[in-house]
């Protein structure tokens, strides 16, 4: 949805957010190429651009602090410094918990970020609360000198927000990444105050994920049965317009006892929804396709039809060697 391969960092600033707030007083212009590449990686590393969020407020969207500050940055080119300080102050207020560490806050304005509707401005907000030790090796008068540098790993996951300017007549689109599940409350709910923009995508994603977890954890299923149930689950989501848990269970599982049914219902009932095809395309890539054996052999199965799995793979037990085996049927090698 968002392509930043040709983006340009037009300006940025760094604050320090902790119990005592230290705000930067200088807005830096577009940096040299290597530094810009590092900041770009810091701002967009592993952001999920398939899951958009939107700002909200219970009574008036204009009372959402980050929405107001960000809109001002997009609308007024000379307000970057003041509004970045407001963002840092609001983050400090939202971070009042002993488990939330202090750290650097990077705020950068990127130009020429591509959406299907054209080039957009993007504001990236990244909170960095951990540093790492890097080794700096230099050749000084034909002598190698090694120094330890306390620095920031631009590939490490941080709490991040990428906010896309959609123009004067549309609300900004927000993409996020949180470092830990525990950070969702303060970063997403208290600081940004955002909600999922596409509820059907979100719920379909969660339903598919939880169904997969249940199938893989259920010890009563063999590996081939698990592969078959995963394939049937994907087929169900591809063929149905709505996800309804009772219909899903009846369609996918031939036999399920009351205890198992209760587990499935309690887990995925909240995610009943109109099915999103985009979510299916994303999640199915994570579905299991391999049988891993203790002999360091993996069997990869790319079969959509569960009946074909049962026809092509047979599991057995050899009493002579006291070991299990798989028998695989095929017509010819490719």
């Amino acid at each position: 949805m968002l392509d930043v391969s040709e983006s340009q960092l037009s300006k940025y600033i760094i604050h320090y957010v902790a119990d005592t707030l230290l705000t930067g007083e200088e807005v830096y212009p577009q940096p040299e190429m290597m530094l810009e590449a590092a900041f770009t990686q810091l701002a967009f590393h592993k952001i999920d651009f398939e899951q958009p969020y939107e700002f909200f407020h219970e009574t008036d969207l204009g009372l959402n602090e980050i929405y107001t500050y960000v809109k001002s940055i997009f609308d007024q080119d000379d307000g970057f410094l003041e509004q970045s300080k407001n963002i840092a102050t609001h983050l400090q207020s939202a971070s009042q918990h002993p488990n939330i560490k202090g750290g650097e806050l990077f705020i950068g304005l990127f130009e020429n970020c591509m959406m299907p509707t054209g080039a957009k401005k993007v504001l990236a907000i990244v909170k960095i609360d951990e540093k790492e030790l890097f080794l700096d090796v230099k050749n000084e008068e034909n002598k190698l000198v090694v120094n330890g540098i306390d620095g920031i790993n631009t590939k490490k996951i941080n709490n991040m927000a990428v906010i896309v300017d959609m123009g004067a007549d549309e609300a900004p689109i927000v993409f996020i990444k949180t470092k830990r599940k525990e950070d969702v409350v303060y970063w997403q709910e208290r600081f940004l105050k955002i909600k999922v923009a596409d509820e059907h995508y979100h719920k379909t994603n969660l339903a598919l994920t939880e169904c997969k977890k249940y199938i893989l954890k259920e010890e009563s299923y063999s590996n081939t049965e698990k592969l078959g149930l995963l394939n049937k689950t994907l087929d169900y989501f591809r063929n149905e317009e709505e996800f309804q848990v009772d219909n899903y269970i009846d369609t996918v599982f031939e036999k399920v006892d009351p205890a198992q049914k209760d587990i499935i219902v309690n887990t995925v009932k909240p995610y009943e929804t109109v099915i999103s095809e985009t979510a299916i395309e994303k999640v199915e890539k994570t579905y299991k396709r391999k049988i891993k054996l203790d002999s360091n052999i993996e069997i990869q199965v790319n079969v959509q039809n569960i009946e074909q799995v049962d026809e092509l793979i047979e599991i057995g037990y050899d009493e002579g060697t006291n070991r299990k085996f798989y028998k695989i049927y095929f017509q010819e090698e490719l």
Side-chain angles (χ1 to χ4, degrees):
M1 180 178 285
L2 183 67
D3 181 5
V4 298
S5 60
E6 301 296 329
S7 65
Q8 295 177 334
L9 176 59
S10 63
K11 62 182 70 174
Y12 68 96
I13 193 169
I14 296 177
H15 305 294
Y16 187 83
V17 179
D19 292 338
T20 300
L21 179 64
L22 178 62
T23 59
E25 296 298 331
E26 182 179 357
V27 176
Y28 299 99
Q30 183 177 5
E32 53 85 19
M33 187 179 298
M34 291 293 290
L35 187 57
E36 181 176 16
F39 279 133
T40 301
Q41 186 170 64
L42 175 70
F44 301 113
H45 183 60
K46 290 192 175 180
I47 287 273
D48 182 4
F49 291 125
E50 298 295 332
Q51 177 61 81
Y53 291 78
E54 59 188 9
F55 292 108
F56 81 98
H57 191 274
E58 291 80 359
T59 57
D60 184 351
L61 184 58
L63 298 176
N64 181 308
E65 291 90 342
I66 299 301
Y67 168 81
T68 302
Y69 304 149
V70 170
K71 284 290 287 182
S72 180
I73 289 175
F74 288 149
D75 296 340
Q76 301 175 27
D77 192 58
D78 59 352
F80 185 84
L81 176 60
E82 178 187 356
Q83 299 306 332
S84 75
K85 290 182 178 181
N86 290 337
I87 292 171
T89 301
H90 181 60
L91 177 58
Q92 183 194 39
S93 175
S95 305
Q96 298 304 308
H97 191 281
N99 291 338
I100 300 176
K101 299 179 181 179
E104 288 77 11
L105 180 67
F106 167 83
I107 302 176
L109 184 64
F110 290 82
E111 307 278 355
N112 201 41
C113 298
M114 300 305 297
M115 295 277 286
T117 53
K120 305 294 182 184
K121 289 189 292 186
V122 166
L123 188 75
I125 303 174
V126 184
K127 168 70 180 307
I128 306 144
D129 55 20
E130 285 188 10
K131 291 185 178 180
E132 296 182 3
L133 179 64
F134 294 89
L135 296 178
D136 182 31
V137 183
K138 293 182 179 179
N139 187 341
E140 297 181 357
E141 298 180 352
N142 294 322
K143 181 180 179 181
L144 294 178
V145 179
V146 182
N147 294 305
I149 299 176
D150 194 26
I152 295 169
N153 185 345
T154 60
K155 291 185 178 181
K156 196 161 188 176
I157 298 299
N158 298 289
N159 289 323
M160 307 151 72
V162 170
I163 306 166
V164 184
D165 181 15
M166 299 303 292
D169 300 327
E170 290 188 54
I173 295 175
V174 185
F175 302 99
I176 65 167
K177 183 74 177 179
T178 51
K179 184 177 180 181
R180 307 172 302 169
K181 288 184 178 179
E182 306 92 279
D183 292 336
V184 169
V185 173
Y186 102 87
W187 186 256
Q188 178 177 328
E189 298 177 11
R190 294 208 301 264
F191 172 54
L192 295 170
K193 199 156 190 177
I194 54 177
K195 63 180 181 179
V196 173
D198 186 346
E199 193 70 24
H200 299 319
Y201 175 96
H202 183 61
K203 286 188 172 182
T204 303
N205 189 351
L206 290 173
L208 278 162
T209 301
E210 293 303 321
C211 289
K212 180 187 72 172
K213 286 182 181 178
Y214 167 76
I215 292 170
L216 293 179
K217 288 182 178 180
E218 180 52 56
E219 296 180 353
S220 64
Y221 301 136
S222 68
N223 281 330
T224 51
E225 287 174 326
K226 289 178 180 180
L227 285 177
L229 290 171
L230 290 173
N231 283 324
K232 286 191 74 173
T233 295
L234 288 174
D235 285 342
Y236 172 85
F237 277 85
R238 291 190 192 100
N239 296 329
E240 298 292 332
E241 293 184 0
E242 293 186 19
F243 171 63
Q244 297 179 339
V245 64
D246 290 329
N247 177 252
Y248 164 72
I249 293 172
D250 292 340
T251 303
V252 173
F253 300 89
E254 294 182 5
K255 296 179 182 179
V256 57
D257 62 42
Q260 289 175 316
K261 183 173 182 177
D262 286 344
I263 293 173
I264 300 172
V265 170
N266 292 335
T267 303
V268 299
K269 181 75 172 177
Y271 309 134
E272 291 185 325
T273 184
V274 174
I275 293 173
S276 164
E277 292 184 8
T278 306
I280 297 173
E281 292 174 3
K282 176 192 174 185
V283 177
E284 70 176 338
K285 298 175 184 177
T286 69
Y287 263 51
K288 185 177 179 181
R289 289 287 186 270
K290 293 180 180 179
I291 301 173
K292 294 185 178 181
L293 308 179
D294 57 12
S295 56
N296 292 324
I297 293 176
E298 293 183 355
I299 303 172
Q300 181 163 325
V301 183
N302 294 318
V303 178
Q304 299 294 332
N305 193 319
I306 183 175
E307 285 75 18
Q308 286 184 312
V309 174
D310 294 335
E311 291 174 3
L312 298 175
I313 301 177
E314 177 184 329
I315 188 171
Y317 179 76
D318 188 327
E319 294 183 355
T321 60
N322 195 32
R323 291 186 299 179
K324 298 176 182 178
F325 65 84
Y326 278 103
K327 185 183 291 185
I328 301 173
Y329 297 94
F330 63 97
Q331 295 291 340
E332 59 181 304
E333 293 183 354
L334 300 179

